């Protein structure tokens, strides 16, 4: 049917506005709007109408190249001009209703557009990421999905929600991104990360391999004992402490404490944790001068130790099963 007739019923984001007694939107009350640039070109040959009643003008060719789903749809015989029930148009352009909201479709079409035409869509948070990935899966846009997954290891995501990043990357069998997320998870003890909904989309075996990787990295840091002569630990006391009998932490206990901490969280950031540093200073019974100097010395030492520790951890492989 033409645009002068009413569109099929759509549910918008506002919920109650235009709703009938059952809570559903009344088709007569839906206010349709056109998307802004670059999805409002008059020469477009298809319109995607979102669930919140925004019309995106786009090109069948670009959709077909990105999506076998749309390629097959456009290859089907099109309804004749007399079939008003199926021939839904606007500006003489056929309309394809989609169930996604406009915020998702705008980003999805942005990934399908030529690089000279639009900027790479920004992904503000992992909720948006998941919505775009779900839409890419639905419409069989495999290359779009792969591109989006490569973006999730950005610091804004990895530093805030590393477990979600791991689960998303693992779900899509993105080996590089899964390994990056697993490596970041070494900053936490194995039992610390909380449940996230994305874990429901990976198998128990996938999660077990993450735990195994964490444990293997923790065991591997024991190799540092061979490097104490090359990378001696910074002193937590001074001659005055030892002369006055204030120092209570032997070198062996000091070394063991470092290894124990790194076994639980096998990354150099463990040694930069102010709480851990304060615990070691209290164990050492250092004088006030040593307590002031120790944090800076440990921070400097951690930067030096980062190189051999990184080499040790890099030898451990995260097993990723491809399906």
């Amino acid at each position: 049917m033409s645009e002068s007739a009413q569109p099929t019923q759509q549910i918008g984001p506002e919920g109650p506005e235009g709703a009938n007694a059952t809570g559903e939107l009344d088709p007569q009350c839906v206010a349709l709007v056109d998307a802004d640039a670059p999805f409002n070109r008059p020469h477009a040959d298809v319109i995607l109408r979102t669930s919140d009643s925004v019309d995106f003008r786009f090109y069948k060719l670009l959709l077909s190249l990105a999506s076998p789903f749309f390629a097959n749809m456009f290859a089907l015989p099109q309804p004749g001009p007399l079939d008003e029930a199926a021939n839904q148009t606007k500006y003489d352009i056929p309309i394809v209703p989609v169930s996604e909201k406009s915020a998702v479709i705008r980003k999805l079409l942005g990934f399908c557009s030529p690089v000279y035409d639009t900027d790479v869509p920004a992904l503000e948070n992992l909720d948006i990421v998941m919505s775009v990935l779900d839409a890419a899966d639905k419409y069989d846009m495999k290359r779009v999905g792969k591109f989006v997954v490569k973006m999730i290891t950005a610091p804004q995501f990895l530093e805030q929600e590393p477990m979600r990043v791991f689960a998303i990357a693992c779900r899509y069998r993105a080996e590089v991104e899964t390994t990056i997320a697993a490596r970041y998870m070494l900053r936490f003890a194995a039992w610390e990360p909380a449940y996230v909904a994305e874990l429901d989309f990976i198998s128990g075996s996938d999660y077990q391999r993450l735990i195994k990787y964490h444990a293997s990295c923790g065991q591997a840091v024991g190799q540092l004992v061979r490097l104490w002569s090359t990378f001696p630990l910074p002193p937590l006391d001074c001659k005055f402490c030892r002369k006055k009998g204030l120092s209570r932490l032997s070198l062996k206990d000091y070394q063991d404490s470092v290894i124990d901490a790194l076994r639980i969280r096998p990354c150099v950031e463990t040694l930069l944790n102010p709480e851990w540093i304060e615990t070691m200073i209290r164990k050492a019974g250092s004088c006030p001068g040593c307590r002031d100097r120790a944090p800076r010395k440990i921070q400097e030492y951690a930067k030096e130790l980062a190189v051999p520790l990184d080499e040790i951890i890099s030898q451990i492989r995260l097993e990723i099963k491809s399906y």
Side-chain angles (χ1 to χ4, degrees), residues 282-300:
R282 286 200 305 267
K283 285 184 177 180
S286 307
C287 68
C290 291
R291 287 196 292 270
D292 291 338
R293 292 188 294 268
R296 176 179 53 81
K297 290 182 178 180
I298 292 179
Q299 290 172 1
E300 294 173 351

Side-chain angles (χ1 to χ4, degrees), residues 44-64:
D45 55 5
V46 68
I47 292 174
L48 299 187
R49 175 166 291 168
T50 64
S51 64
D52 50 351
S53 304
V54 180
D55 288 341
F56 287 79
R57 282 182 259 184
F58 205 58
Y59 299 93
K60 291 181 179 180
L61 174 61
L62 294 180
L63 281 174
S64 298

Side-chain angles (χ1 to χ4, degrees), residues 230-232 268 297-309:
T230 307
F231 295 92
V268 73
K297 290 182 178 180
I298 292 179
Q299 290 172 1
E300 294 173 351
Y301 175 75
K303 294 178 182 179
E304 297 177 2
L305 193 67
V307 175
L309 183 58

Side-chain angles (χ1 to χ4, degrees), residues 2 13 28 63 90 157 172 217 276 301 304 315:
S2 68
Q28 303 292 331
L63 281 174
K90 180 178 181 180
F157 303 135
Y172 288 92
C217 291
W276 181 81
Y301 175 75
E304 297 177 2
Q315 296 173 5

Side-chain angles (χ1 to χ4, degrees), residues 10 28 81 84 102 117 134 136 142 146 153 158 176 204 208 218 234 275 281 291 293 297:
Q10 300 289 330
Q28 303 292 331
E84 293 188 0
S102 56
D117 192 49
D134 286 343
K142 290 185 171 60
K146 290 180 179 179
T153 54
L158 195 58
V176 172
Q208 189 275 337
E275 293 183 3
I281 292 173
R291 287 196 292 270
R293 292 188 294 268
K297 290 182 178 180

Side-chain angles (χ1 to χ4, degrees), residues 170 173 199-209 323:
C170 188
R173 300 296 144 187
L199 288 173
D200 292 340
F201 295 100
I202 66 175
S203 68
S205 297
D206 291 328
Y207 186 74
Q208 189 275 337
R209 282 188 280 271
Y323 299 121

